[in-house]
mmCIF file of all heavy atoms in Angstrom:
data_model
loop_
_atom_site.group_PDB
_atom_site.id
_atom_site.type_symbol
_atom_site.label_atom_id
_atom_site.label_comp_id
_atom_site.label_asym_id
_atom_site.label_seq_id
_atom_site.Cartn_x
_atom_site.Cartn_y
_atom_site.Cartn_z
ATOM 1 N N LYS W 213 86.705 135.242 98.448
ATOM 2 C CA LYS W 213 85.536 136.118 98.347
ATOM 3 C C LYS W 213 85.681 137.177 97.261
ATOM 4 O O LYS W 213 84.692 137.612 96.664
ATOM 5 C CB LYS W 213 85.285 136.813 99.688
ATOM 6 C CG LYS W 213 84.700 135.938 100.776
ATOM 7 C CD LYS W 213 84.438 136.764 102.021
ATOM 8 C CE LYS W 213 83.794 135.937 103.110
ATOM 9 N NZ LYS W 213 83.536 136.742 104.335
ATOM 10 N N TYR W 214 86.923 137.600 97.015
ATOM 11 C CA TYR W 214 87.152 138.730 96.118
ATOM 12 C C TYR W 214 87.745 138.309 94.774
ATOM 13 O O TYR W 214 88.047 139.152 93.941
ATOM 14 C CB TYR W 214 88.072 139.739 96.809
ATOM 15 C CG TYR W 214 87.567 140.105 98.184
ATOM 16 C CD1 TYR W 214 88.178 139.599 99.328
ATOM 17 C CD2 TYR W 214 86.444 140.921 98.337
ATOM 18 C CE1 TYR W 214 87.702 139.911 100.597
ATOM 19 C CE2 TYR W 214 85.963 141.240 99.599
ATOM 20 C CZ TYR W 214 86.589 140.737 100.723
ATOM 21 O OH TYR W 214 86.112 141.038 101.976
ATOM 22 N N ASN W 215 87.928 137.025 94.589
ATOM 23 C CA ASN W 215 88.421 136.502 93.319
ATOM 24 C C ASN W 215 87.737 135.163 93.071
ATOM 25 O O ASN W 215 88.153 134.137 93.612
ATOM 26 C CB ASN W 215 89.945 136.340 93.348
ATOM 27 C CG ASN W 215 90.490 135.724 92.076
ATOM 28 O OD1 ASN W 215 89.780 135.588 91.076
ATOM 29 N ND2 ASN W 215 91.761 135.337 92.105
ATOM 30 N N THR W 216 86.698 135.185 92.282
ATOM 31 C CA THR W 216 85.874 133.981 92.103
ATOM 32 C C THR W 216 86.650 132.820 91.483
ATOM 33 O O THR W 216 86.224 131.668 91.595
ATOM 34 C CB THR W 216 84.662 134.300 91.223
ATOM 35 O OG1 THR W 216 85.116 134.838 89.959
ATOM 36 C CG2 THR W 216 83.756 135.315 91.898
ATOM 37 N N LYS W 217 87.772 133.104 90.847
ATOM 38 C CA LYS W 217 88.560 132.042 90.233
ATOM 39 C C LYS W 217 89.656 131.519 91.168
ATOM 40 O O LYS W 217 90.357 130.565 90.825
ATOM 41 C CB LYS W 217 89.204 132.540 88.932
ATOM 42 C CG LYS W 217 88.187 132.888 87.850
ATOM 43 C CD LYS W 217 88.887 133.330 86.578
ATOM 44 C CE LYS W 217 87.864 133.659 85.484
ATOM 45 N NZ LYS W 217 88.525 134.081 84.220
ATOM 46 N N GLY W 218 89.821 132.156 92.319
ATOM 47 C CA GLY W 218 90.886 131.769 93.241
ATOM 48 C C GLY W 218 90.338 131.153 94.513
ATOM 49 O O GLY W 218 89.149 131.243 94.835
ATOM 50 N N GLY W 219 91.230 130.510 95.249
ATOM 51 C CA GLY W 219 90.836 129.910 96.515
ATOM 52 C C GLY W 219 92.011 129.222 97.174
ATOM 53 O O GLY W 219 93.175 129.521 96.898
ATOM 54 N N ILE W 220 91.702 128.287 98.053
ATOM 55 C CA ILE W 220 92.738 127.580 98.802
ATOM 56 C C ILE W 220 92.341 126.122 98.939
ATOM 57 O O ILE W 220 91.159 125.774 98.937
ATOM 58 C CB ILE W 220 92.944 128.225 100.196
ATOM 59 C CG1 ILE W 220 94.258 127.779 100.821
ATOM 60 C CG2 ILE W 220 91.764 127.920 101.120
ATOM 61 C CD1 ILE W 220 94.647 128.573 102.046
ATOM 62 N N GLU W 221 93.353 125.280 99.040
ATOM 63 C CA GLU W 221 93.142 123.843 99.228
ATOM 64 C C GLU W 221 94.091 123.374 100.317
ATOM 65 O O GLU W 221 95.298 123.637 100.267
ATOM 66 C CB GLU W 221 93.426 123.100 97.918
ATOM 67 C CG GLU W 221 93.271 121.597 97.993
ATOM 68 C CD GLU W 221 93.605 120.942 96.661
ATOM 69 O OE1 GLU W 221 92.964 121.285 95.650
ATOM 70 O OE2 GLU W 221 94.544 120.106 96.633
ATOM 71 N N ILE W 222 93.548 122.671 101.319
ATOM 72 C CA ILE W 222 94.349 122.190 102.444
ATOM 73 C C ILE W 222 94.115 120.693 102.606
ATOM 74 O O ILE W 222 92.972 120.245 102.674
ATOM 75 C CB ILE W 222 93.987 122.910 103.753
ATOM 76 C CG1 ILE W 222 94.206 124.423 103.622
ATOM 77 C CG2 ILE W 222 94.808 122.363 104.924
ATOM 78 C CD1 ILE W 222 93.700 125.221 104.799
ATOM 79 N N ASN W 223 95.197 119.938 102.657
ATOM 80 C CA ASN W 223 95.114 118.494 102.882
ATOM 81 C C ASN W 223 95.801 118.164 104.204
ATOM 82 O O ASN W 223 96.951 118.566 104.433
ATOM 83 C CB ASN W 223 95.787 117.734 101.733
ATOM 84 C CG ASN W 223 95.022 117.883 100.433
ATOM 85 O OD1 ASN W 223 93.904 117.397 100.305
ATOM 86 N ND2 ASN W 223 95.608 118.572 99.462
ATOM 87 N N LEU W 224 95.092 117.443 105.056
ATOM 88 C CA LEU W 224 95.582 117.121 106.395
ATOM 89 C C LEU W 224 95.594 115.615 106.605
ATOM 90 O O LEU W 224 94.731 114.900 106.088
ATOM 91 C CB LEU W 224 94.695 117.773 107.457
ATOM 92 C CG LEU W 224 94.516 119.291 107.376
ATOM 93 C CD1 LEU W 224 93.428 119.744 108.331
ATOM 94 C CD2 LEU W 224 95.823 120.009 107.682
ATOM 95 N N ARG W 225 96.549 115.169 107.402
ATOM 96 C CA ARG W 225 96.615 113.761 107.792
ATOM 97 C C ARG W 225 97.008 113.685 109.263
ATOM 98 O O ARG W 225 97.852 114.464 109.729
ATOM 99 C CB ARG W 225 97.643 113.015 106.926
ATOM 100 C CG ARG W 225 97.624 111.508 107.091
ATOM 101 C CD ARG W 225 98.364 110.831 105.947
ATOM 102 N NE ARG W 225 99.787 111.084 105.996
ATOM 103 C CZ ARG W 225 100.665 110.313 106.649
ATOM 104 N NH1 ARG W 225 100.247 109.255 107.337
ATOM 105 N NH2 ARG W 225 101.949 110.599 106.633
ATOM 106 N N PHE W 226 96.388 112.763 110.006
ATOM 107 C CA PHE W 226 96.620 112.626 111.443
ATOM 108 C C PHE W 226 96.932 111.159 111.767
ATOM 109 O O PHE W 226 96.288 110.251 111.235
ATOM 110 C CB PHE W 226 95.384 113.060 112.234
ATOM 111 C CG PHE W 226 94.936 114.469 111.966
ATOM 112 C CD1 PHE W 226 94.042 114.744 110.935
ATOM 113 C CD2 PHE W 226 95.394 115.526 112.738
ATOM 114 C CE1 PHE W 226 93.620 116.041 110.674
ATOM 115 C CE2 PHE W 226 94.980 116.824 112.486
ATOM 116 C CZ PHE W 226 94.099 117.084 111.452
ATOM 117 N N TRP W 227 97.891 110.947 112.664
ATOM 118 C CA TRP W 227 98.218 109.587 113.065
ATOM 119 C C TRP W 227 98.944 109.606 114.422
ATOM 120 O O TRP W 227 99.177 110.671 114.991
ATOM 121 C CB TRP W 227 99.066 108.891 111.997
ATOM 122 C CG TRP W 227 100.469 109.368 111.841
ATOM 123 C CD1 TRP W 227 101.601 108.819 112.392
ATOM 124 C CD2 TRP W 227 100.934 110.492 111.061
ATOM 125 N NE1 TRP W 227 102.721 109.523 112.015
ATOM 126 C CE2 TRP W 227 102.342 110.553 111.189
ATOM 127 C CE3 TRP W 227 100.285 111.450 110.271
ATOM 128 C CZ2 TRP W 227 103.116 111.533 110.572
ATOM 129 C CZ3 TRP W 227 101.052 112.428 109.653
ATOM 130 C CH2 TRP W 227 102.440 112.461 109.798
ATOM 131 N N ASP W 228 99.268 108.414 114.926
ATOM 132 C CA ASP W 228 99.989 108.240 116.201
ATOM 133 C C ASP W 228 99.271 108.920 117.366
ATOM 134 O O ASP W 228 99.883 109.628 118.181
ATOM 135 C CB ASP W 228 101.427 108.773 116.092
ATOM 136 C CG ASP W 228 102.354 107.781 115.404
ATOM 137 O OD1 ASP W 228 101.908 106.655 115.118
ATOM 138 O OD2 ASP W 228 103.518 108.126 115.154
ATOM 139 N N TYR W 229 97.970 108.703 117.458
ATOM 140 C CA TYR W 229 97.221 109.254 118.588
ATOM 141 C C TYR W 229 97.672 108.617 119.903
ATOM 142 O O TYR W 229 97.900 107.408 119.981
ATOM 143 C CB TYR W 229 95.724 109.008 118.401
ATOM 144 C CG TYR W 229 95.084 109.924 117.380
ATOM 145 C CD1 TYR W 229 94.695 109.451 116.132
ATOM 146 C CD2 TYR W 229 94.854 111.266 117.683
ATOM 147 C CE1 TYR W 229 94.094 110.299 115.199
ATOM 148 C CE2 TYR W 229 94.266 112.112 116.760
ATOM 149 C CZ TYR W 229 93.887 111.630 115.524
ATOM 150 O OH TYR W 229 93.294 112.465 114.608
ATOM 151 N N ASP W 230 97.798 109.460 120.929
ATOM 152 C CA ASP W 230 98.098 109.028 122.304
ATOM 153 C C ASP W 230 99.448 108.295 122.417
ATOM 154 O O ASP W 230 99.646 107.503 123.339
ATOM 155 C CB ASP W 230 96.978 108.134 122.859
ATOM 156 C CG ASP W 230 95.653 108.862 122.924
ATOM 157 O OD1 ASP W 230 95.655 110.075 123.205
ATOM 158 O OD2 ASP W 230 94.601 108.226 122.674
ATOM 159 N N LYS W 231 100.360 108.586 121.493
ATOM 160 C CA LYS W 231 101.699 108.002 121.591
ATOM 161 C C LYS W 231 102.558 108.824 122.556
ATOM 162 O O LYS W 231 102.242 109.967 122.880
ATOM 163 C CB LYS W 231 102.364 107.971 120.215
ATOM 164 C CG LYS W 231 101.651 107.106 119.190
ATOM 165 C CD LYS W 231 101.702 105.642 119.563
ATOM 166 C CE LYS W 231 101.070 104.787 118.485
ATOM 167 N NZ LYS W 231 101.095 103.335 118.824
ATOM 168 N N ASN W 232 103.649 108.214 122.991
ATOM 169 C CA ASN W 232 104.565 108.891 123.908
ATOM 170 C C ASN W 232 105.486 109.806 123.107
ATOM 171 O O ASN W 232 106.529 109.384 122.611
ATOM 172 C CB ASN W 232 105.366 107.852 124.700
ATOM 173 C CG ASN W 232 106.243 108.493 125.759
ATOM 174 O OD1 ASN W 232 106.032 109.650 126.128
ATOM 175 N ND2 ASN W 232 107.228 107.760 126.238
ATOM 176 N N ILE W 233 105.099 111.066 122.962
ATOM 177 C CA ILE W 233 105.857 112.052 122.186
ATOM 178 C C ILE W 233 106.442 113.078 123.161
ATOM 179 O O ILE W 233 105.715 113.648 123.978
ATOM 180 C CB ILE W 233 104.959 112.754 121.158
ATOM 181 C CG1 ILE W 233 104.381 111.720 120.169
ATOM 182 C CG2 ILE W 233 105.731 113.833 120.402
ATOM 183 C CD1 ILE W 233 103.347 112.300 119.221
ATOM 184 N N THR W 234 107.731 113.306 123.063
ATOM 185 C CA THR W 234 108.400 114.261 123.948
ATOM 186 C C THR W 234 108.800 115.503 123.161
ATOM 187 O O THR W 234 109.463 115.402 122.122
ATOM 188 C CB THR W 234 109.652 113.638 124.584
ATOM 189 O OG1 THR W 234 109.284 112.471 125.322
ATOM 190 C CG2 THR W 234 110.333 114.638 125.515
ATOM 191 N N ILE W 235 108.375 116.667 123.637
ATOM 192 C CA ILE W 235 108.742 117.949 123.019
ATOM 193 C C ILE W 235 109.353 118.836 124.106
ATOM 194 O O ILE W 235 108.697 119.161 125.093
ATOM 195 C CB ILE W 235 107.513 118.635 122.389
ATOM 196 C CG1 ILE W 235 106.920 117.746 121.294
ATOM 197 C CG2 ILE W 235 107.901 119.998 121.801
ATOM 198 C CD1 ILE W 235 105.648 118.304 120.672
ATOM 199 N N SER W 236 110.600 119.212 123.895
ATOM 200 C CA SER W 236 111.324 120.026 124.880
ATOM 201 C C SER W 236 111.822 121.298 124.218
ATOM 202 O O SER W 236 112.047 121.331 123.010
ATOM 203 C CB SER W 236 112.522 119.241 125.453
ATOM 204 O OG SER W 236 112.103 118.017 126.015
ATOM 205 N N PRO W 237 112.036 122.360 124.994
ATOM 206 C CA PRO W 237 112.595 123.583 124.402
ATOM 207 C C PRO W 237 113.995 123.339 123.889
ATOM 208 O O PRO W 237 114.776 122.610 124.526
ATOM 209 C CB PRO W 237 112.562 124.581 125.566
ATOM 210 C CG PRO W 237 112.497 123.748 126.790
ATOM 211 C CD PRO W 237 111.756 122.518 126.426
ATOM 212 N N PRO W 238 114.365 123.930 122.756
ATOM 213 C CA PRO W 238 115.700 123.706 122.209
ATOM 214 C C PRO W 238 116.750 124.509 122.987
ATOM 215 O O PRO W 238 116.417 125.418 123.762
ATOM 216 C CB PRO W 238 115.571 124.239 120.778
ATOM 217 C CG PRO W 238 114.530 125.294 120.880
ATOM 218 C CD PRO W 238 113.556 124.830 121.912
#
Side-chain angles (χ1 to χ4, degrees):
K213 286 183 177 180
Y214 308 105
N215 177 11
T216 57
K217 295 182 179 181
I220 196 169
E221 179 181 302
I222 301 172
N223 292 293
L224 304 170
R225 190 164 69 90
F226 302 89
W227 71 97
D228 280 354
Y229 284 107
D230 299 325
K231 297 294 184 180
N232 185 17
I233 299 173
T234 301
I235 299 176
S236 304

